[in-house]
Amino acid sequence: MYFNKEIECMSRSEKEALQSERLINVVKRVYDNVKMYRAKMDAIKLKPSDIKSIKDIYKLPYTVKQDLRDSYPFGMFAVPKRDIVRLHASSATTGKLTVVGYTKNDLDTWAECDARALVMAGATPDSTVHVAYGYGLFTGGLGMHYGTEKLGATVVPVSSGNTKRQLMLMKDFEADILCCTPSYAIFLAEEMEKEGYSLKDFNLKAGIFGAEAWTEEMRKTIENRLNIKAIDIYGLSEICGPGVACECSEQTGMHIQDDYFFPEIISTDTLEPLPIGEEGELVFTTLTKEGIPLIRYRTRDLCSLNDTPCACGRTSIKMNKVFARSDDMLIIRGVNVFPSQIESVLLSNPLASPHYHIVVDRVNNLDVLEIQVEMSEALFSDEVKAIENFKNKLAQDMASAISVSAKITLVSPHSIERSEGKAKRITDKRFVK
Ligand code: DLL
């Protein structure tokens, strides 16, 4: 089933024609209305008329998060403020927030993306969709909310927090689709057990999980514990929010809504575009956005694209799972380590729980990596020898996967802080001294 078969199954050549027409148009609009783009294009002597098709996209300059910060709050808007009907902003650990503004058409496009995503995950107009992403300046809650309404399904706008009440509502309202971060899905599963529910009490079929990186091993863990299909959804507020891309039931990469968002992968070293299939930084150009159109926006997310035809019949290009943000890559004693590698090793061991925290420090000028892992209840009540064996095995597996030695610290069940939104899995003490 599709939400918009005509677009979702459009031939690649028709899609390319549509992308070309839209790119020509958006480049004209940003040149005429956004000072920063005019300056960037003038600096390289590029005129809007030089962009004749989507193939010319490589001529255009990149946009980075700092551009948005420098133009805080509304400097990159391409329409008068009166045409903006909603603002969102993404949290900043340092510096200013990045603010995005949507026109009525932008909101409609975004809802369309999430309606398509919901159908990909198996939702129908008869579904009840439990939205446990946060509502507010974060785009997760409202994005999935309007997508559900556009599909004509029933939305439960529960937002994040109050887990006991979430479980009660999920059961009583018979939600078949759950939307939240993957880390919160694990927490919900744990709380279900704790509160004495059985999986039979729920009507859940699928979960639409995103907003943070998660591994295939985490997917298996969630699918087993909740007995649902766990679907990956990707997005970022700068581009619109959740729904820029989403998996279908084949779970072989996320279909990018490439009639609206044109993807590229570039090398983080040379910034040159890379061929399909190679890993690098994901870059998006918004083809129809009015409020704050972005040209070749560098997302900092690392992944690869995949254009093998999908068994579901959708023709869009897909993105493979994001394995890291370039900002999250840890360099430990000169070796690049991605948190996702650590998660994969942990969750490949059936005795480990999906709760962990990574601590990096510098002791006597040497980087030290510690991985705090929660023991499962079964392991916790096991003999000391079994616990020792588990710890040694984990340390060995970790060293061969990430090529640096890590200190494994086993902690008691439920001692690592649970997250209701994006999980914070890393403390890097090296840069806070
Ligand atoms: O996290 C939007 C969203 C909400 C996506 C709900 C999916 C579901 P931001 O707060 O702007 O927006 O954060 C965007 O989160 O650049 C990625 O680093 C990360 N991210 C989002 N989805 C995924 C995913 C929302 N499926 C940033 N896998 C992005 C890996 C993801 N990382």
Side-chain angles (χ1 to χ4, degrees):
M1 209 180 119
Y2 309 101
F3 181 71
N4 185 341
K5 186 168 183 202
E6 194 190 333
I7 294 285
E8 292 178 86
C9 300
M10 185 178 244
S11 74
R12 290 254 162 104
S13 59
E14 276 177 295
K15 179 74 71 64
E16 211 177 293
L18 183 68
Q19 290 169 331
S20 293
E21 183 194 315
R22 289 179 167 178
L23 180 70
I24 292 167
N25 190 297
V26 73
V27 170
K28 274 196 200 118
R29 280 191 291 114
V30 295
Y31 188 81
D32 291 342
N33 298 300
V34 185
K35 248 198 243 153
M36 187 207 75
Y37 281 121
R38 178 179 286 249
K40 280 194 183 200
M41 286 174 65
D42 285 348
I44 53 169
K45 298 197 166 40
L46 184 73
K47 294 187 295 303
S49 56
D50 295 330
I51 304 300
K52 297 187 172 67
S53 88
I54 196 74
K55 296 210 164 73
D56 293 324
I57 198 160
Y58 309 105
K59 297 178 181 166
L60 289 159
Y62 290 116
T63 311
V64 291
K65 203 171 185 114
Q66 194 58 39
D67 293 326
L68 285 154
R69 293 209 175 111
D70 291 345
S71 62
Y72 178 88
F74 306 141
M76 280 178 67
F77 287 11
V79 295
K81 174 80 188 327
R82 110 180 67 89
D83 294 338
I84 298 290
V85 296
R86 170 110 60 86
L87 294 172
H88 279 281
S90 72
S91 53
T93 34
T94 52
K96 297 225 172 84
L97 292 172
T98 46
V99 182
V100 286
Y102 304 70
T103 64
K104 280 206 168 102
N105 286 334
D106 291 337
L107 288 184
D108 205 45
T109 300
W110 183 17
E112 160 92 23
C113 290
D114 282 324
R116 290 183 197 172
L118 282 152
V119 174
M120 281 194 252
T124 71
D126 293 324
S127 288
T128 299
V129 181
H130 183 98
V131 180
Y133 286 118
Y135 279 60
L137 287 178
F138 174 59
T139 51
L142 287 167
M144 297 316 297
H145 181 102
Y146 286 102
T148 307
E149 289 191 355
K150 182 141 189 127
L151 172 62
T154 307
V155 63
V156 185
V158 65
S159 193
S160 55
N162 201 341
T163 304
K164 272 190 195 159
R165 194 184 59 161
Q166 301 250 1
L167 293 174
M168 182 185 80
L169 296 180
M170 232 154 69
K171 172 175 170 286
D172 293 348
F173 296 171
E174 300 176 347
D176 53 336
I177 307 282
L178 165 66
C179 301
C180 62
T181 57
S183 46
Y184 193 55
I186 287 285
F187 184 37
L188 282 171
E190 227 173 45
E191 290 295 295
M192 273 178 191
E193 274 172 34
K194 209 166 115 196
E195 295 295 315
Y197 287 106
S198 120
L199 284 179
K200 288 198 209 85
D201 293 327
F202 298 92
N203 187 35
L204 283 181
K205 287 202 218 59
I208 306 184
F209 304 129
E212 62 188 12
W214 53 306
T215 56
E216 282 301 331
E217 288 77 13
M218 184 64 93
R219 188 208 301 274
K220 273 185 221 117
T221 306
I222 297 175
E223 291 193 332
N224 289 337
R225 292 193 63 168
L226 286 174
N227 193 25
I228 57 172
K229 215 167 177 99
I231 295 291
D232 196 358
I233 186 166
Y234 171 86
L236 61 166
S237 47
E238 297 91 311
I239 300 302
C240 74
V244 172
C246 185
E247 283 177 337
C248 63
S249 55
E250 299 293 318
Q251 297 173 309
T252 50
M254 293 177 267
H255 288 279
I256 295 174
Q257 305 301 349
D258 56 4
D259 50 327
Y260 297 130
F261 315 112
F262 186 81
E264 297 172 72
I265 294 285
I266 62 166
S267 153
T268 44
D269 299 329
T270 64
L271 303 190
E272 289 300 319
L274 293 173
I276 293 221
E278 286 195 27
E279 282 177 349
E281 181 177 344
L282 183 61
V283 168
F284 278 111
T285 298
T286 63
L287 296 173
T288 59
K289 236 166 94 170
E290 297 174 341
I292 177 163
L294 293 181
I295 304 293
R296 304 190 83 196
Y297 182 70
R298 293 183 53 191
T299 63
R300 304 259 158 204
D301 293 320
L302 304 177
C303 69
S304 57
L305 297 177
N306 151 7
D307 67 353
T308 40
C310 188
C312 76
R314 290 178 182 82
T315 50
S316 82
I317 196 158
K318 293 191 282 190
M319 57 185 270
N320 293 321
K321 256 186 174 310
V322 172
F323 61 89
R325 279 185 67 76
S326 51
D327 328 352
D328 279 351
M329 186 181 78
L330 297 165
I331 303 181
I332 295 166
R333 282 169 257 148
V335 180
N336 298 350
V337 175
F338 293 106
S340 58
Q341 294 173 297
I342 294 176
E343 183 176 296
S344 291
V345 173
L346 285 179
L347 295 189
S348 307
N349 190 317
L351 289 175
S353 88
H355 305 287
Y356 62 94
H357 194 79
I358 301 167
V359 183
V360 193
D361 203 352
R362 187 161 285 155
V363 180
N364 298 332
N365 289 322
L366 196 69
D367 295 336
V368 180
L369 170 66
E370 179 191 4
I371 305 170
Q372 300 172 347
V373 188
E374 243 183 41
M375 283 182 274
S376 60
E377 296 281 0
L379 183 67
F380 190 55
S381 47
D382 214 331
E383 289 171 12
V384 175
K385 187 146 188 292
I387 297 178
E388 250 339 276
N389 286 345
F390 167 75
K391 192 168 152 179
N392 292 340
K393 167 96 174 60
L394 214 51
Q396 266 171 20
D397 291 352
M398 205 59 83
S400 63
I402 62 178
S403 310
V404 282
S405 59
K407 176 178 177 222
I408 307 284
T409 306
L410 297 181
V411 299
S412 53
H414 309 289
S415 59
I416 286 180
E417 198 188 335
R418 303 298 189 252
S419 124
E420 290 170 354
K422 293 177 193 262
K424 269 207 195 65
R425 301 202 197 272
I426 306 174
T427 304
D428 196 334
K429 297 181 176 167
R430 294 174 298 181
F431 307 111
V432 291
K433 282 175 182 160

